[in-house]
Amino acid sequence: METLWFYPGFYLVSLEEACEVFKERERAPQWRRGWFPLLEDGAGDSFVVPCKKKQTDRAPVIGFIHGEPEQSVEYIDVTTMMETFADCFAQGAFLLDEDGSLEIDDDLHRQIARRHNPGVAEWQD
């Protein structure tokens, strides 16, 4: 599965899989109504976007960690997440190791994410 990783440990889900995950988790105690998965790790963790009936200009990306009581915002919105990821690839925060596995330089990722997502608590020291 790791050859499909878009973010270290996570892959982009198809619309079909996202709908399946949405239906499977909609009654789970940590899952919130309207959350829609973008990235999955295959073991229950996701990056999700809260969807609402009322149109908004942006929606935050939340890191859903299965089994954790609190789920926090990690990126201001999908555009900012993608810009963060692009810089992480360009600057070497996401890199291939000797075995060809996608790895992460956590410190560099944090610096890049903080720059792109000012005010997001996840990236503050």
Side-chain angles (χ1 to χ4, degrees), residues 80-112:
T80 305
M81 180 181 75
M82 294 300 175
E83 291 169 349
T84 303
F85 289 3
D87 275 357
C88 283
F89 280 108
Q91 296 177 34
F94 297 168
L95 58 141
L96 294 177
D97 68 9
E98 300 83 33
D99 298 326
S101 296
L102 188 60
E103 297 294 331
I104 188 168
D105 177 327
D106 290 318
D107 293 333
L108 185 53
H109 174 228
R110 178 175 297 285
Q111 291 172 13
I112 294 167

Side-chain angles (χ1 to χ4, degrees), residues 2-113:
E2 66 188 289
T3 58
L4 301 175
W5 288 355
F6 184 74
Y7 170 96
F10 290 81
Y11 60 93
L12 283 168
V13 294
S14 67
L15 183 56
E16 181 180 346
E17 183 178 354
C19 290
E20 288 172 12
V21 169
F22 178 81
K23 288 177 185 175
E24 288 171 3
R25 294 186 185 155
E26 69 182 333
R27 297 200 196 298
Q30 300 140 323
W31 197 258
R32 302 294 174 258
R33 184 179 176 148
W35 280 2
F36 199 78
L38 299 174
L39 299 169
E40 286 285 317
D41 73 349
D45 296 345
S46 308
F47 285 95
V48 301
V49 175
C51 299
K52 309 232 184 236
K53 289 182 181 182
K54 183 180 178 186
Q55 183 175 343
T56 61
D57 290 334
R58 44 176 31 175
V61 177
I62 298 164
F64 175 80
I65 302 173
H66 181 73
E68 291 294 322
E70 297 294 321
Q71 312 300 328
S72 61
V73 170
E74 294 198 23
Y75 301 97
I76 292 172
D77 57 23
V78 175
T79 300
T80 305
M81 180 181 75
M82 294 300 175
E83 291 169 349
T84 303
F85 289 3
D87 275 357
C88 283
F89 280 108
Q91 296 177 34
F94 297 168
L95 58 141
L96 294 177
D97 68 9
E98 300 83 33
D99 298 326
S101 296
L102 188 60
E103 297 294 331
I104 188 168
D105 177 327
D106 290 318
D107 293 333
L108 185 53
H109 174 228
R110 178 175 297 285
Q111 291 172 13
I112 294 167

